[in-house]
Amino acid sequence: MAHHYRVTVEAIGEENTGGPLVFETSNHDELFAITDRIRSKNIVPDDEAASFAIGLKLFTETMLRHRKHPLFSELQPAIAHFMKALKSTPGT
């Protein structure tokens, strides 16, 4: 089951050359739950957990969709190893 999201990125405190960046995407995981799990693992500071979790999940979902592209196929083993290590990291 795909979960659907609208992502908005806005510049803060600097000259913005393009206005907000808004796009819709889907992910096989529920991103709010993933963000909570990342926070509980204390891998990065709490104020970076959402950025890390969302960035990683957006990237890996795109990589899965395009897994046959040479650029992504070369990354696949390293990302698979990273994701296994991340999932096995104990949380609080």
Side-chain angles (χ1 to χ4, degrees), residues 42-62:
N42 294 312
I43 296 167
V44 296
D46 196 54
D47 62 341
E48 295 177 21
S51 175
F52 173 66
I54 301 304
L56 179 63
K57 292 307 296 179
L58 292 177
F59 174 75
T60 56
E61 190 76 13
T62 300

Side-chain angles (χ1 to χ4, degrees), residues 6-44:
R6 177 175 299 117
V7 178
T8 303
V9 179
E10 297 179 66
I12 299 173
E14 58 188 64
E15 191 172 320
N16 187 355
T17 60
L21 173 62
V22 179
F23 61 94
E24 294 184 9
T25 190
S26 61
N27 200 286
H28 69 275
D29 286 320
E30 203 282 312
L31 297 181
F32 297 103
I34 296 292
T35 300
D36 288 342
R37 276 188 242 148
I38 293 294
R39 276 196 180 100
S40 76
K41 293 176 182 286
N42 294 312
I43 296 167
V44 296

